[in-house]
Amino acid sequence: MITTHASGALKKIIPLFDRVLVERFAPALKTKGGLHIPEKALGKVLNATVVAVGKGIRQKDGTYVSVSVQPGDKVLLPEYGGTKVELEEKEYFIFKEADILAKLEH
Amino acid sequence: MITTHASGALKKIIPLFDRVLVERFAPALKTKGGLHIPEKALGKVLNATVVAVGKGIRQKDGTYVSVSVQPGDKVLLPEYGGTKVELEEKEYFIFKEADILAKLEH
Amino acid sequence: MITTHASGALKKIIPLFDRVLVERFAPALKTKGGLHIPEKALGKVLNATVVAVGKGIRQKDGTYVSVSVQPGDKVLLPEYGGTKVELEEKEYFIFKEADILAKLEH
Amino acid sequence: MITTHASGALKKIIPLFDRVLVERFAPALKTKGGLHIPEKALGKVLNATVVAVGKGIRQKDGTYVSVSVQPGDKVLLPEYGGTKVELEEKEYFIFKEADILAKLEH
Amino acid sequence: MITTHASGALKKIIPLFDRVLVERFAPALKTKGGLHIPEKALGKVLNATVVAVGKGIRQKDGTYVSVSVQPGDKVLLPEYGGTKVELEEKEYFIFKEADILAKLEH
Amino acid sequence: MITTHASGALKKIIPLFDRVLVERFAPALKTKGGLHIPEKALGKVLNATVVAVGKGIRQKDGTYVSVSVQPGDKVLLPEYGGTKVELEEKEYFIFKEADILAKLEH
Amino acid sequence: MITTHASGALKKIIPLFDRVLVERFAPALKTKGGLHIPEKALGKVLNATVVAVGKGIRQKDGTYVSVSVQPGDKVLLPEYGGTKVELEEKEYFIFKEADILAKLEH
């Protein structure tokens, strides 16, 4: 879950079902020659950090199948398909779990 | 459920199945510098309060899987996809539960 | 079921399966200031009275899951999606139950 | 089933599965003032008599769920969606049962 | 199955699954006045004879649900949807069983 | 499976799931008068020989339902829908089994 | 999984569900006459090496059906349908397993 830091308007965004809330990050990648690759050279994916996740896909018996990412995970997302959410000057995106292409690990 | 306040025409709107009736609200967000963000800067979501909910998704055995929001919940909805309903000078929207992006909590 | 009143041509329209036959009504809403809202200001829904309903959705075992509205119910329907039926100078619409947005109660 | 009356070319058309063969009729409706409503004023439905029906929807175990109309039934059909069949100077239409909007009863 | 008659190139076409191989015929229909109806007046169906049928729809357990027509059956097919196959100067069409509108019987 | 004959680059193409690898052939059909029918007169199908087949459709329990054609089978395929694969100067096509219209037998 | 070699930014891309991460290769094919076929003559497939695979398709009971390729496998992919991912100057693609046309073996 995300808690915004502005006093008096503290809020959490809790995604529903199998949705995840992510925040984009600019990957600090370097080329072999040490040059920084500008973001637009990074191709058709969105590098993002998972901020909050929903309960998962609701089954017919009322239970949920949990999503397979957690807050803090670094993920790759397609350039299109999410919904932009702005909250206190920061921009977030909500995607369905099934749209997450991959996790990034160190 | 919503009960309108005009005498003589009091009405409740009871959404069917997994639909929810919501009323938009203008989020009173402030920037760190104290400036108010105009609504159109808020991006592609609709901030809304749930006013009434349907019984849920009807199963083949006649039972219902309840919706996961309740009247009073603050939710984020996509800009498109709902149906506008006007009742006694107020504007409401009806969405399917599955279209709700997230709940907002304090 | 609807029985039309012209002698000699009395007919009942019995919707099939999960269809409902509705008749539009002009909601006699008043604004707080007492002004009548013209119909076109009412937005993108159709205010209608259920006139007849089908048996419901047929299951694989031959039984039916009844529809959740009854003749006499006031309902909200989307502006598009139904089929217009004219019978003895009156105009009706046939919708699938799943298209009904909400019931209106007093 | 329909048997055409021309000698030497007698044929029956037996619809397959959940299809029905119908023959359009011009509803002899009268307005309250006694005027005949021309057919094009009747809106977007097709008044038809069921002439023959298929065995129904085939289940995985090889059995069939019978269709819910019978030869002789008067039905309302959408203006589009059927296939026109001409046989011995008469025009018929084949529709799927699920496209039948309603039965008409006296 | 169809066996073509040209010596040295005898071939059978065995449709796969729920497909049927048909050969069109020109229905020798007569009007009541004895006039022959030209083919293009016959509307939007294809009069055809079933030449060969596939094994049917394959079930998950590996068995097949047989198709409901047999070689020799006269059928009505929609004007569009099949695939034209030419073999030894004759033109055939392959349709899925579910596209067959009706059987014609004498 | 197909093994190409160029030394040093021998390769097998193993289709996945219910895909089949086929190689087109020009059917040496003769008209009754002995004339060869040019290929473009053969209509909208592709005459092909199955070269390799996949394991079949994977079931939920991890087993496979085998495809119903084998390497060496002559098949009819629709003109469109496959993917062209070139390997060592020869052109192959990959289709899904469900796209195969018919088998050809002698 | 793929581990990039730039120190300080070592990362693994772990595809989610039934996705696979592949790296394109230029197939060193020779014609019989010894000429190299330029890549654009290779038709509408993508020759690629599987670099990492997801856990597979998640079942309702929470288990996974493993994908049928492994890192190191040579595969044929359709020209379109994948998502391009760039990581440390190298270009990768993410496809769903079901899009893989075939495996290539030696």
Side-chain angles (χ1 to χ4, degrees):
Chain A
M1 95 187 52
I2 168 175
T3 54
T4 60
H5 307 298
S7 63
L10 191 65
K11 262 188 201 154
K12 296 181 298 187
I13 296 179
I14 302 173
L16 247 69
F17 301 119
D18 55 332
R19 289 187 182 83
V20 295
L21 181 79
V22 302
E23 186 181 356
R24 189 170 193 171
F25 68 88
L29 296 178
K30 303 230 170 207
T31 66
K32 284 169 189 163
L35 294 173
H36 193 278
I37 302 169
E39 188 184 328
K40 69 188 256 293
L42 283 171
K44 308 219 156 182
V45 290
L46 186 71
N47 291 273
T49 305
V50 175
V51 177
V53 302
K55 270 199 227 177
I57 298 175
R58 188 173 52 195
Q59 303 300 297
K60 289 193 174 172
D61 63 2
T63 60
Y64 291 81
V65 172
S66 302
V67 299
S68 56
V69 291
Q70 294 181 292
D73 282 352
K74 306 294 185 195
V75 292
L76 290 181
L77 288 159
E79 203 178 11
Y80 302 104
T83 305
K84 189 162 62 165
V85 180
E86 286 188 38
L87 191 67
E88 315 218 333
E89 289 194 331
K90 288 184 81 167
E91 187 180 271
Y92 301 93
F93 294 88
I94 291 179
F95 281 85
K96 293 222 167 189
E97 178 203 17
D99 293 329
I100 304 175
L101 296 171
K103 279 199 254 193
L104 292 173
E105 297 197 349
H106 295 273
Chain B
M1 98 188 49
I2 168 175
T3 54
T4 61
H5 308 297
S7 63
L10 191 66
K11 262 188 201 156
K12 297 182 297 187
I13 295 178
I14 302 174
L16 247 68
F17 301 119
D18 54 332
R19 290 187 181 83
V20 296
L21 182 79
V22 302
E23 186 181 354
R24 189 171 193 170
F25 68 88
L29 295 177
K30 303 224 171 212
T31 65
K32 284 171 188 160
L35 293 172
H36 194 280
I37 303 169
E39 189 184 328
K40 68 187 256 292
L42 282 171
K44 308 219 157 184
V45 291
L46 186 72
N47 290 273
T49 305
V50 176
V51 177
V53 302
K55 272 199 227 176
I57 298 175
R58 187 173 52 194
Q59 303 301 296
K60 289 194 174 172
D61 63 2
T63 60
Y64 291 82
V65 172
S66 302
V67 300
S68 57
V69 291
Q70 295 180 291
D73 282 352
K74 306 294 185 196
V75 293
L76 290 181
L77 288 159
E79 203 178 9
Y80 302 105
T83 305
K84 189 162 62 165
V85 181
E86 286 187 38
L87 192 67
E88 314 218 331
E89 291 194 329
K90 288 184 81 167
E91 187 180 271
Y92 300 93
F93 294 88
I94 292 179
F95 280 85
K96 293 222 166 189
E97 178 203 18
D99 292 329
I100 304 175
L101 297 171
K103 280 199 255 193
L104 292 173
E105 297 198 349
H106 294 273
Chain C
M1 96 187 51
I2 169 176
T3 54
T4 61
H5 308 297
S7 63
L10 191 68
K11 262 189 201 154
K12 296 181 298 186
I13 296 179
I14 302 173
L16 248 67
F17 302 119
D18 55 332
R19 290 188 181 84
V20 295
L21 182 79
V22 302
E23 185 181 356
R24 189 171 193 172
F25 67 89
L29 296 177
K30 302 224 170 211
T31 65
K32 285 170 188 160
L35 294 172
H36 194 279
I37 302 169
E39 188 185 328
K40 69 187 256 293
L42 283 171
K44 308 219 156 183
V45 290
L46 185 72
N47 291 273
T49 305
V50 176
V51 176
V53 303
K55 272 200 227 176
I57 298 175
R58 188 173 51 194
Q59 304 300 297
K60 290 194 174 172
D61 63 2
T63 60
Y64 291 81
V65 172
S66 302
V67 299
S68 55
V69 291
Q70 294 181 293
D73 281 353
K74 306 295 185 195
V75 293
L76 290 181
L77 288 158
E79 204 179 10
Y80 302 105
T83 305
K84 189 162 61 166
V85 180
E86 287 187 37
L87 191 66
E88 315 219 331
E89 292 195 328
K90 288 183 81 168
E91 188 181 271
Y92 301 92
F93 294 87
I94 291 179
F95 280 85
K96 293 222 166 189
E97 176 202 17
D99 292 330
I100 304 175
L101 297 170
K103 279 199 254 192
L104 292 173
E105 298 197 350
H106 294 272
Chain D
M1 96 188 51
I2 169 176
T3 54
T4 61
H5 308 296
S7 62
L10 191 68
K11 261 189 201 152
K12 296 181 298 185
I13 296 179
I14 302 173
L16 248 68
F17 302 119
D18 55 333
R19 289 187 181 85
V20 296
L21 182 79
V22 301
E23 185 181 356
R24 189 171 194 172
F25 67 90
L29 296 177
K30 303 226 169 208
T31 65
K32 285 170 188 161
L35 294 172
H36 193 279
I37 303 169
E39 189 185 327
K40 69 187 256 291
L42 282 171
K44 309 219 156 181
V45 290
L46 186 71
N47 291 274
T49 305
V50 176
V51 176
V53 302
K55 272 200 226 175
I57 297 175
R58 187 172 51 194
Q59 303 301 296
K60 290 194 174 171
D61 63 2
T63 61
Y64 291 81
V65 173
S66 302
V67 298
S68 55
V69 291
Q70 294 181 292
D73 282 353
K74 306 295 185 196
V75 292
L76 289 181
L77 288 158
E79 204 179 9
Y80 302 105
T83 305
K84 189 162 62 167
V85 180
E86 286 188 36
L87 191 66
E88 314 219 333
E89 291 194 330
K90 288 184 81 167
E91 187 180 272
Y92 301 93
F93 294 88
I94 291 179
F95 280 85
K96 294 222 166 189
E97 176 202 17
D99 292 330
I100 304 175
L101 297 170
K103 279 198 253 193
L104 292 173
E105 298 197 349
H106 295 273
Chain E
M1 93 189 50
I2 169 175
T3 54
T4 61
H5 308 296
S7 64
L10 191 67
K11 259 187 203 157
K12 296 180 299 183
I13 296 179
I14 302 173
L16 248 69
F17 302 120
D18 54 333
R19 290 187 181 84
V20 296
L21 182 78
V22 301
E23 186 182 355
R24 189 171 193 172
F25 67 89
L29 295 178
K30 301 224 170 212
T31 66
K32 285 170 189 162
L35 294 173
H36 193 280
I37 303 169
E39 188 185 328
K40 69 187 256 292
L42 282 171
K44 309 218 155 181
V45 291
L46 186 70
N47 291 273
T49 304
V50 175
V51 176
V53 302
K55 272 200 227 176
I57 297 174
R58 187 172 53 195
Q59 303 301 296
K60 290 194 174 171
D61 63 2
T63 61
Y64 291 81
V65 173
S66 302
V67 299
S68 56
V69 291
Q70 294 180 292
D73 282 352
K74 307 295 184 195
V75 292
L76 291 181
L77 288 159
E79 204 179 9
Y80 302 105
T83 305
K84 190 162 62 166
V85 180
E86 286 187 36
L87 191 66
E88 313 219 335
E89 290 194 331
K90 288 183 81 167
E91 187 180 271
Y92 301 94
F93 293 87
I94 292 178
F95 280 85
K96 294 220 166 189
E97 177 202 16
D99 292 330
I100 304 176
L101 297 171
K103 278 199 253 193
L104 291 173
E105 298 197 350
H106 295 273
Chain F
M1 94 189 49
I2 168 176
T3 55
T4 61
H5 307 296
S7 63
L10 191 66
K11 260 187 204 158
K12 296 180 299 184
I13 296 179
I14 302 172
L16 248 68
F17 302 119
D18 55 332
R19 289 187 182 83
V20 296
L21 182 78
V22 302
E23 186 181 355
R24 189 171 194 170
F25 68 88
L29 296 178
K30 302 226 170 210
T31 65
K32 285 169 188 162
L35 294 172
H36 194 281
I37 303 169
E39 188 185 328
K40 70 188 255 292
L42 282 171
K44 308 218 156 183
V45 290
L46 186 71
N47 291 273
T49 305
V50 175
V51 177
V53 302
K55 272 199 226 176
I57 297 175
R58 187 172 52 194
Q59 304 301 296
K60 290 194 174 171
D61 63 2
T63 60
Y64 291 81
V65 172
S66 302
V67 298
S68 55
V69 291
Q70 294 181 292
D73 281 352
K74 306 295 185 196
V75 292
L76 291 182
L77 288 159
E79 204 179 10
Y80 302 105
T83 305
K84 189 162 62 165
V85 180
E86 286 187 38
L87 192 66
E88 314 219 334
E89 289 194 331
K90 289 184 82 167
E91 187 179 270
Y92 301 93
F93 294 87
I94 292 178
F95 280 85
K96 293 221 166 190
E97 177 203 17
D99 292 329
I100 304 175
L101 297 172
K103 279 199 253 193
L104 292 174
E105 298 197 351
H106 295 273
Chain G
M1 95 189 51
I2 169 175
T3 54
T4 61
H5 307 296
S7 63
L10 191 66
K11 262 189 202 155
K12 295 181 300 186
I13 295 179
I14 302 173
L16 247 68
F17 302 118
D18 55 332
R19 289 187 181 83
V20 296
L21 182 79
V22 302
E23 185 181 357
R24 189 171 195 171
F25 67 88
L29 295 178
K30 303 230 169 206
T31 65
K32 285 168 188 163
L35 293 173
H36 193 280
I37 303 169
E39 188 185 328
K40 70 188 254 292
L42 282 171
K44 309 220 155 181
V45 290
L46 186 71
N47 291 273
T49 304
V50 175
V51 177
V53 302
K55 271 199 226 175
I57 298 175
R58 187 172 52 194
Q59 304 301 297
K60 289 194 173 171
D61 62 2
T63 60
Y64 290 81
V65 173
S66 303
V67 299
S68 56
V69 292
Q70 294 182 293
D73 281 352
K74 306 295 185 195
V75 292
L76 290 182
L77 288 159
E79 203 179 12
Y80 302 105
T83 305
K84 189 162 62 165
V85 180
E86 287 186 37
L87 191 66
E88 314 218 333
E89 289 194 331
K90 287 184 82 167
E91 187 180 89
Y92 301 93
F93 294 86
I94 292 179
F95 281 85
K96 293 221 166 189
E97 178 203 16
D99 292 330
I100 304 175
L101 296 171
K103 279 198 253 193
L104 292 173
E105 297 197 350
H106 295 273

